[in-house]
Amino acid sequence: MSGSLCRSLYAFGGEQHQQGLSFQAGEEIRVLQALPGGWWQGEKDGVRGWFPSSYVQVVEEQLISRPERLSRSERMEQLRERTASLSQLAAEDLKDRLPPHWKCYVSPQGQRYYVNTTNNETTWERPSSAPGTPRSSFRHKNSLPAVNGFHSSSSSPLHHVESSHSSLVRRSSGEPQSPGSMSPTRKQNKETTVTVNCVTFPSAVCLPEQRLLKPDEWSYCDFFWNDKKDLQGSGCVTGFEILLQKQLKGRQMQKEMSEFIRERIKIEEEYAKNLSKLSQIPLAGQEEGTLGEAWAQLKKSLADEAEVHLKFSSKLQSEVEKPLLTFRENFKKDMKRFDHHIADLRKQLVGRYAAVERARKALADRQKELELKTQQLETKLTSKTEEDIKKARRKSTQAGDELMRCVDQYNQSQSRWFEEMVTTSLELERLEMERVEMIRQHLCQYTTLRHETDMFNQSTMEPVDQLLQCVNPAKDRELWVRENKTGEVRPVDIEI
């Protein structure tokens, strides 16, 4: 990717990074370094900095770019970076590039998976050449990587429980086992996983093995898996409910912003009405001369200013207030659908975990029964006792099989819940970014309209300023005298 030329899709201010590179939409940027986490280093107009890769689209890939502007050492460094990045790709990545809007990530086990940055669709297989169409989706049973201590059929949350009980059942067919023999296995399982509110997480020992789904992006899908104590009550709030609360709060803030703009419109309309009324009052209407012309122009400017403020209020209503009110009209409906969907999956997960606990208890009871029958066999050898032991072994085996089945169903439910949590949290993240960007754009439109209003108001006052500069008392006196004079001959003394 180093040396490639990309074009920015959106404006980026650079505030999200200490060495951020700011740019506007449609500008060309030369990529200097591309990190797996999604941050790229680039150069624009001689300035270097970091920016998110999702804000740009690659338009040209070349091994050595602009040789006439790069020194030989810089071109060799580009070549080494390009070779190093290519050496980490699979053979299929060398044949053709990913379709637009697709990005590749690596699971903690080293397996690649692909994410569509437009609709957050995820797949194990490399997307086909048709943009946005993967060959197969993530959404299959036990198909996601074990990113958060669960999610793979080989490393599911109760996988150790399943294998330990399976071996326990096999041993029970050959030799008697006491209920106490389960304790080492249960202890080992507690050291590797811990279940909180029916969700299984890795213990502190396994945490260093995990990697974030979207490193360095502070994405919703990485930081809201646990439940949080409700400060207003004695219960707990799920991480997904916290995300929903943020969305609902953002919706409320958006509504209050539109109400603020509405009040601003009312002020403008009332102000324009008062200006227009004031311009029609015939005060000082009999002033004459150049001063009278300036006074008449001043009163006319009030009417012009009233018209400017009326246009300003009309544009505020159509270009700011209305979009704020109509944006995401189905917001509550979408949030309710998301909430019910995740809540149903979580409820199903709770039921499956309860089934696992019942099956575990049943297995312990069967093991205890088998131990008692074995002790009876040692004290009294009869055919009936041997038959009872066989029955106890069969029941123990059935209980172990039932536990394995319940564990498998639990893992499947947790995998599906995990998939939907990732997909839905990314969708909420996208909606939040859209909301913030939409509000930013319309507030910028508000400031633009405000500046335009000030400019128009200034233009209405320019004729008044010009006429005031031309006020000439001597000329006014001359004009008035010419119009109202009664005679030029002055009186003289009487002569006798």
Side-chain angles (χ1 to χ4, degrees), residues 308-309 447-459:
V308 169
H309 284 278
T447 59
T448 301
L449 293 174
R450 188 68 183 87
H451 291 316
E452 291 179 355
T453 302
D454 292 338
M455 292 175 59
F456 287 135
N457 285 336
Q458 184 178 359
S459 65

Side-chain angles (χ1 to χ4, degrees), residues 59-220:
V59 295
E60 173 191 345
E61 285 197 2
Q62 52 188 26
L63 197 59
I64 301 177
S65 61
R66 302 181 185 270
E68 68 279 4
R69 299 185 182 181
L70 299 178
S71 64
R72 184 176 182 275
S73 60
E74 289 175 332
R75 293 199 299 270
M76 292 301 295
E77 181 64 21
Q78 272 195 350
L79 180 61
R80 283 193 294 269
E81 291 178 358
R82 180 65 171 169
T83 305
S85 62
L86 289 177
S87 63
Q88 299 176 0
L89 297 176
E92 65 178 34
D93 294 331
L94 298 175
K95 295 178 182 179
D96 57 335
R97 291 185 296 169
L98 289 172
H101 309 300
W102 283 94
K103 294 178 65 176
C104 177
Y105 294 94
V106 180
S107 69
Q109 289 75 26
Q111 186 175 359
R112 283 185 177 83
Y113 63 97
Y114 301 86
V115 178
N116 189 312
T117 57
T118 302
N119 56 16
N120 295 319
E121 188 176 6
T122 320
T123 177
W124 282 120
E125 297 184 8
R126 182 183 178 83
S128 61
S129 57
T133 54
R135 287 195 292 267
S136 65
S137 173
F138 248 0
R139 300 170 173 267
H140 295 291
K141 182 177 69 175
N142 298 333
S143 60
L144 282 175
V147 177
N148 285 290
F150 53 90
H151 213 59
S152 175
S153 58
S154 60
S155 56
S156 55
L158 299 179
H159 175 70
H160 301 290
V161 180
E162 178 181 341
S163 59
S164 63
H165 283 293
S166 176
S167 61
L168 180 62
V169 172
R170 288 195 295 269
R171 288 197 303 270
S172 67
S173 61
E175 57 180 345
Q177 299 288 335
S178 63
S181 64
M182 293 177 59
S183 58
T185 304
R186 295 288 295 277
K187 182 179 179 181
Q188 180 183 4
N189 181 62
K190 289 183 179 180
E191 292 176 353
T192 57
T193 61
V194 58
T195 301
V196 181
N197 292 340
C198 301
V199 180
T200 305
F201 298 95
S203 64
V205 180
C206 302
L207 282 179
E209 300 178 2
Q210 290 195 352
R211 290 179 57 187
L212 297 177
L213 290 173
K214 301 181 72 173
D216 303 325
E217 295 188 25
W218 290 95
S219 175
Y220 290 170

Side-chain angles (χ1 to χ4, degrees), residues 162 165 169 355-356 358-360 362-363 395-409:
E162 178 181 341
H165 283 293
V169 172
V356 170
R358 290 193 299 268
R360 182 187 288 123
L363 178 61
K395 292 181 179 180
S396 179
T397 302
Q398 293 174 356
D401 293 341
E402 177 64 16
L403 176 61
M404 293 171 62
R405 186 186 67 83
C406 292
V407 167
D408 184 61
Q409 290 181 348

Side-chain angles (χ1 to χ4, degrees), residues 480-494:
W480 185 85
V481 168
R482 286 179 178 273
E483 183 178 353
N484 297 279
K485 65 182 180 177
T486 60
E488 300 178 7
V489 180
R490 296 183 297 276
V492 297
D493 294 339
I494 298 177

Side-chain angles (χ1 to χ4, degrees), residues 205-480:
V205 180
C206 302
L207 282 179
E209 300 178 2
Q210 290 195 352
R211 290 179 57 187
L212 297 177
L213 290 173
K214 301 181 72 173
D216 303 325
E217 295 188 25
W218 290 95
S219 175
Y220 290 170
C221 66
D222 280 318
F223 298 98
F224 291 91
W225 294 106
N226 300 85
D227 296 345
K228 187 176 182 180
K229 186 176 180 180
D230 189 1
L231 300 178
Q232 300 179 354
S234 58
C236 292
V237 180
T238 65
F240 187 76
E241 289 176 344
I242 294 177
L243 290 178
L244 285 181
Q245 290 174 4
K246 175 173 175 55
Q247 295 290 320
L248 294 173
K249 181 180 178 181
R251 176 66 174 179
Q252 179 62 26
M253 295 301 100
Q254 182 175 321
K255 181 181 179 182
E256 293 180 5
M257 289 179 186
S258 64
E259 293 175 354
F260 174 87
I261 299 297
R262 165 46 52 187
E263 293 299 320
R264 186 72 174 88
I265 292 173
K266 290 181 179 179
I267 293 175
E268 289 295 323
E269 292 176 346
E270 187 67 23
Y271 183 59
K273 180 180 178 181
N274 291 334
L275 285 177
S276 178
K277 182 179 179 180
L278 182 60
S279 67
Q280 298 174 6
I281 296 179
L283 294 176
Q286 296 182 358
E287 180 65 47
E288 301 174 345
T290 55
L291 182 60
E293 293 178 3
W295 176 253
Q297 184 61 42
L298 188 146
K299 292 177 64 177
K300 183 178 181 300
S301 70
L302 292 181
D304 295 339
E305 186 178 355
E307 184 67 22
V308 169
H309 284 278
L310 280 178
K311 291 181 178 179
F312 176 54
S313 63
S314 177
K315 288 185 177 181
L316 277 183
Q317 184 176 12
S318 61
E319 299 180 19
V320 181
E321 182 197 20
K322 187 175 180 180
L324 287 175
L325 289 174
T326 58
F327 181 70
R328 285 167 62 186
E329 293 180 347
N330 298 324
F331 178 85
K332 291 185 177 180
K333 185 184 297 184
D334 292 339
M335 292 302 103
K336 188 175 182 179
R337 175 171 56 85
F338 290 151
D339 188 15
H340 287 179
H341 182 54
I342 298 299
D344 290 342
L345 292 177
R346 186 68 180 266
K347 184 177 179 180
Q348 183 185 57
L349 187 63
V350 171
R352 295 290 171 81
Y353 184 77
V356 170
E357 291 299 308
R358 290 193 299 268
R360 182 187 288 123
K361 183 178 182 301
L363 178 61
D365 293 340
R366 297 304 180 189
Q367 288 294 316
K368 184 177 181 180
E369 180 181 355
L370 178 59
E371 183 183 12
L372 293 176
K373 297 296 182 183
T374 304
Q375 292 175 356
Q376 292 178 3
L377 178 63
E378 294 175 355
T379 58
K380 184 178 181 181
L381 182 60
T382 62
S383 58
K384 186 176 184 305
T385 304
E386 292 180 354
E387 185 65 24
D388 291 342
I389 290 178
K390 291 180 181 180
K391 291 181 179 180
R393 286 175 179 172
R394 284 197 300 270
K395 292 181 179 180
S396 179
T397 302
Q398 293 174 356
D401 293 341
E402 177 64 16
L403 176 61
M404 293 171 62
R405 186 186 67 83
C406 292
V407 167
D408 184 61
Q409 290 181 348
Y410 172 86
N411 290 336
Q412 293 176 22
S413 297
Q414 187 164 250
S415 293
R416 188 184 176 195
W417 173 75
F418 177 85
E419 294 174 16
E420 296 299 329
M421 277 286 292
V422 171
T423 303
T424 308
S425 60
L426 288 176
E427 178 67 12
L428 293 180
E429 183 177 302
R430 182 186 66 81
L431 292 175
E432 176 66 10
M433 291 183 64
E434 286 184 359
R435 184 188 72 86
V436 173
E437 179 61 22
M438 185 277 300
I439 292 178
R440 186 195 69 81
Q441 291 178 359
H442 287 87
L443 292 183
C444 288
Q445 180 65 12
Y446 168 82
T447 59
T448 301
L449 293 174
R450 188 68 183 87
H451 291 316
E452 291 179 355
T453 302
D454 292 338
M455 292 175 59
F456 287 135
N457 285 336
Q458 184 178 359
S459 65
T460 61
M461 295 304 297
E462 289 178 356
V464 179
D465 292 335
Q466 294 174 0
L467 289 176
L468 289 175
Q469 294 295 330
C470 296
V471 171
N472 188 340
K475 184 177 180 181
D476 289 348
R477 185 177 65 249
E478 177 186 350
L479 293 175
W480 185 85

